[in-house]
């Protein structure tokens, strides 16, 4: 895979819990970062908070590459 690319068959969106697992942090931390506008790709879909998987993966890859 290219850096930040999703594995084949990966979902297009992620839940807050899935983002927390990727970041290795708590669900509360994801919620706090989202409310503060620190996590990109957050969208509300039918009242549910979802994250664009490609945006999150690229953001994580960029953050880990930066240090």
């Amino acid at each position: 895979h290219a850096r930040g690319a999703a594995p084949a068959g990966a979902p297009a969106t992620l839940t807050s819990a899935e983002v927390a697992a990727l970041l290795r942090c708590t669900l509360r931390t994801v919620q706090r970062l989202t409310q503060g506008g620190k996590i990109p790709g957050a969208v509300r879909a039918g009242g549910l908070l979802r994250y664009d998987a490609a945006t999150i993966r690229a953001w994580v890859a960029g953050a880990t590459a930066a240090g």
Side-chain angles (χ1 to χ4, degrees), residues 3-40:
R3 180 172 285 210
T13 61
L14 301 171
T15 65
S16 296
E18 291 167 330
V19 172
L22 277 174
L23 298 178
R24 297 182 183 162
C25 68
T26 66
L27 182 58
R28 179 67 190 126
T29 297
V30 170
Q31 292 167 340
R32 190 171 29 83
L33 291 171
T34 300
Q35 289 170 349
K38 305 277 188 199
I39 297 180

